[in-house]
């Protein structure tokens, strides 16, 4: 049987596309190679776009997810290079909060909400091996299962360098970090809720340690290192993470019990990536396969959800205009995504270039961060648009 709309990948991008289609009453199929709930190595801290996309899906949803202990709102984080400097950044609680929560829980909540519409053919354990364009439809070759035909393919397979990604034209990742993550659980109520702590290290290794509090007394501890430093690393990044975690635990007051919930596992983080092939005939690319643009925070879930929402809008429009889904070009999706993320893409390019090509930056960073002006700037709710707004620099 031919499926009209097939979404490959059930991460935040694929699920958000499906959720907006379901909200508009449009049936579709979601193919996912894993079984759910599934873990995904991630810093598990999400920007305001996640909050607003959830709200547009269902006004009460952010509050419900917070009440259910799936997400925690936070208005404070701390950047530091101890013992030299520390910058607390806090927003007023009138501003959109950052949300923290385990990816397995968040993705599962998105899936459950989607299935409640009864418009999704949900196919976990279904890995697409290749996609071929025919005369009237796409043929999706599935590992160990019969082929699937689709009029429109929404590709939401994430940004990893895989054969399918390169076959469908997703560029290889260039600049990036190697990242290792572990989950800890601190016996509940023993520690007050901490802000997110982003710690720049020179010693013992040039890396960035991110400590992110999660609901239920969990902590996500991640260690990221630039690829070019990684190749000179003495030993394994997972072992370094374990060692740094031991040091953190030693610093805690006695009587606080910390459990390691899993072994460190690693991933590659793309700092700046933007695909030029966002849409084509019967074809749309969403999520980190399409765009990953925040090198300061590494936050990509907000962009993934935003792109899913915009793709769904373009599909809904094509259906309303009675276009042939296989022949429609969805160019309004590509242009609206570029418009929506333009300032972040520029910001990302500049910062990535600085991080990777300016060796002087390492020495000047402490002075830059310490400046009062930078501190005030960091405390603005929308750092990116301020960075790109010339008037911001003229203001006294
Ligand atoms: C180490 C690390 C830390 C990060 N930290 C953060 C953070 O703190 N905050 C944040 O906002 N973002 C973070 N990101 C970015 C974030 O993880 C991504 O932006 C986000 O997951 C993108 O969502 P997606 O839906 O596009 O892709 P994914 O979440 O990768 O989902 C893709 C889905 O497609 C499935 N799939 C892939 N190939 C196939 C196939 N061939 N057939 C069927 N299914 C397939 C996969 O199993 C997966 O479920 C981090 C990324 C990394 C690597």
């Amino acid at each position: 049987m031919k499926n009209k709309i097939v979404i490959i990948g059930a991460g935040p991008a694929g699920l958000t596309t499906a959720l907006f289609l379901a909200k508009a009453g449009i049936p579709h199929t979601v193919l996912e190679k894993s079984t759910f709930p599934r873990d995904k190595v991630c810093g598990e801290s999400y920007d305001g776009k996640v909050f607003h996309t959830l709200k547009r899906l269902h006004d009460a949803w952010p509050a419900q997810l917070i009440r259910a202990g799936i997400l925690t709102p936070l208005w404070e984080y701390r950047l530091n290079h101890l013992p030299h400097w520390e910058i607390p950044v806090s927003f007023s609680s009138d501003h959109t909060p950052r949300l923290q929560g385990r990816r397995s829980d968040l993705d599962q909540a998105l899936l459950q909400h989607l299935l409640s519409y009864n418009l999704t053919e949900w196919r976990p354990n279904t890995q697409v091996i290749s996609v071929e364009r025919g005369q009237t439809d796409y043929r999706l070759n599935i590992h160990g299962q019969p082929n699937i035909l689709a009029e429109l393919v929404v590709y939401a397979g994430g940004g990893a360098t895989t054969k399918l990604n390169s076959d469908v034209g997703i560029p290889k990742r260039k600049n990036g970090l190697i990242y290792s993550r572990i989950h800890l659980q601190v016996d509940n109520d023993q520690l007050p809720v901490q802000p997110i702590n982003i710690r720049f290290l020179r010693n013992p290794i040039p890396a960035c340690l991110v400590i992110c509090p999660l609901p239920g007394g969990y902590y996500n501890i991640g260690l990221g290192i630039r690829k070019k430093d990684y190749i000179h690393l003495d030993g394994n990044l997972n072992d370094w993470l374990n060692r740094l975690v031991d040091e953190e635990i030693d610093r805690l007051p006695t009587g606080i019990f910390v459990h390691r919930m899993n072994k460190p596992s690693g991933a590659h983080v793309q700092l700046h990536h933007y695909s030029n092939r966002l849409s084509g005939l019967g074809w749309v690319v969403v999520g980190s396969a399409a765009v990953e643009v925040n090198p300061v925070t590494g936050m990509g879930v907000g962009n993934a959800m935003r792109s899913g929402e915009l793709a769904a809008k373009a599909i809904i429009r094509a259906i309303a205009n009675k276009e042939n889904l296989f022949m429609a070009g969805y160019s309004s999706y590509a242009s609206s995504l570029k418009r929506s993320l333009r300032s972040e893409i520029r910001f990302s390019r500049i910062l990535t270039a600085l991080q990777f090509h300016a060796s002087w930056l390492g020495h000047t960073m402490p002075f830059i961060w310490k400046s009062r002006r930078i501190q005030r700037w960091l405390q603005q709710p929308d750092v990116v648009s301020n960075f790109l707004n010339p008037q911001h620099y003229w203001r006294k």
Side-chain angles (χ1 to χ4, degrees):
M1 200 190 87
K2 190 187 285 187
N3 296 260
K4 273 185 160 298
I5 304 173
V6 172
I7 299 168
I8 305 176
L15 290 173
T16 305
T17 313
L19 276 159
F20 277 99
L21 291 178
K23 203 177 170 202
I26 299 168
H28 52 269
T29 301
V30 179
L31 311 178
E32 165 57 51
K33 69 179 177 190
S34 328
T35 45
F36 263 54
R38 59 109 179 77
D39 185 27
K40 154 99 180 60
V41 177
C42 183
E44 300 180 317
S45 172
Y46 314 112
D47 60 18
K49 283 188 208 124
V50 173
F51 182 91
H52 289 294
T53 312
L54 291 171
K55 225 170 153 37
R56 281 192 294 275
L57 277 164
H58 176 42
D59 197 48
W61 212 13
Q64 282 171 4
L65 292 173
I66 290 167
R67 265 200 312 278
I70 290 171
L71 295 172
T72 309
L74 263 190
W75 287 268
E76 195 181 357
Y77 62 101
R78 219 171 265 163
L79 296 165
N80 56 53
H81 179 37
L82 297 173
H84 309 292
W85 50 267
E86 177 161 51
I87 304 170
V89 180
S90 51
F91 306 114
S92 128
S93 57
D94 303 338
H95 293 132
T96 308
R98 249 159 210 253
L99 296 170
Q100 277 65 239
R102 291 206 286 170
R103 271 297 294 278
S104 51
D105 295 343
L106 174 63
D107 292 4
Q108 178 70 9
L110 294 174
L111 176 67
Q112 269 170 356
H113 193 66
L114 174 66
L115 297 181
S116 70
Y117 284 97
N118 274 329
L119 285 165
T120 308
E121 186 191 342
W122 165 236
R123 294 187 52 174
N125 270 323
T126 305
Q127 181 175 6
V128 180
I129 303 293
S130 61
V131 180
E132 290 160 35
R133 188 175 165 89
Q135 295 291 319
T136 55
D137 45 38
Y138 283 99
R139 193 174 74 178
L140 276 56
N141 298 311
I142 311 292
H143 180 71
Q145 295 178 38
N147 299 332
I148 293 178
L149 299 179
E151 280 181 25
L152 163 61
V153 175
V154 178
Y155 187 70
T161 303
T162 61
K163 182 169 181 314
L164 182 59
N165 271 14
S166 69
D167 286 352
V168 299
I170 312 296
K172 244 190 174 171
R173 292 157 172 245
K174 284 188 217 133
N175 296 323
L177 295 178
I178 310 294
Y179 195 85
S180 173
R181 179 225 59 189
I182 188 168
H183 281 131
L184 304 182
Q185 193 182 26
V186 178
D187 281 353
N188 246 338
D189 305 330
Q190 291 189 328
L191 277 180
V193 174
Q194 306 286 316
I196 300 168
N197 199 322
I198 304 168
R199 199 171 293 172
F200 300 94
L201 309 174
R202 283 268 175 78
N203 293 308
I205 56 171
C208 180
L209 184 75
V210 182
I211 305 174
C212 176
L214 302 173
Y218 286 96
Y219 281 79
N220 176 319
I221 319 273
L223 184 65
I225 183 166
R226 296 188 304 183
K227 246 182 176 175
K228 68 177 190 185
D229 294 323
Y230 179 73
I231 46 185
H232 303 296
L233 189 67
D234 182 11
N236 177 304
L237 192 63
N238 291 340
D239 295 339
W240 278 108
L241 177 60
N242 265 328
R243 196 172 133 181
L244 292 168
V245 165
D246 284 341
E247 285 173 15
E248 288 297 314
I249 294 174
D250 285 348
R251 270 199 283 270
L252 290 173
T254 45
I256 292 187
F257 297 104
V258 178
H259 312 279
R260 280 179 157 81
M261 303 308 291
N262 42 32
K263 288 192 175 148
S265 45
H268 179 280
V269 189
Q270 181 67 23
L271 291 182
H272 167 76
H273 152 80
Y274 189 67
S275 168
N276 285 324
R277 200 180 167 226
L278 294 175
S279 66
L281 293 184
W283 180 261
V284 176
V285 183
V286 294
S288 54
V291 64
E292 191 99 77
V293 293
N294 198 330
V296 186
T297 59
M299 289 185 176
V301 172
N303 291 332
M305 293 180 78
R306 183 88 189 108
S307 67
E309 179 179 358
L310 294 174
K313 274 193 182 154
I315 298 166
I316 294 165
R317 201 171 309 122
I319 291 173
N321 294 339
K322 301 200 171 14
E323 290 178 52
N324 175 332
L325 289 181
F326 183 64
M327 295 308 292
Y330 309 97
S331 55
S332 68
Y333 158 66
S335 52
S336 58
L337 185 63
K338 279 181 192 161
R339 231 184 357 263
S340 154
L341 298 181
R342 185 175 293 143
S343 52
E344 275 190 48
I345 289 164
R346 285 191 198 142
F347 181 63
S348 159
R349 278 195 184 134
I350 295 167
L351 277 182
T352 310
L354 287 174
Q355 272 179 338
F356 282 85
H357 304 296
S359 52
W360 48 267
L361 201 65
H363 305 290
T364 44
M365 276 306 263
F367 300 105
I368 295 173
W369 289 124
K370 258 187 191 167
S371 117
R372 282 230 174 113
R373 187 152 214 178
I374 294 286
Q375 289 205 20
R376 269 205 308 272
W377 176 67
L378 277 169
Q379 285 167 22
Q380 300 296 310
D382 191 348
V383 172
V384 175
S385 44
N386 281 340
F387 183 80
L388 294 159
N389 176 7
Q391 281 184 349
H392 175 73
Y393 302 98
W394 300 332
R395 235 178 276 141
K396 286 257 161 113

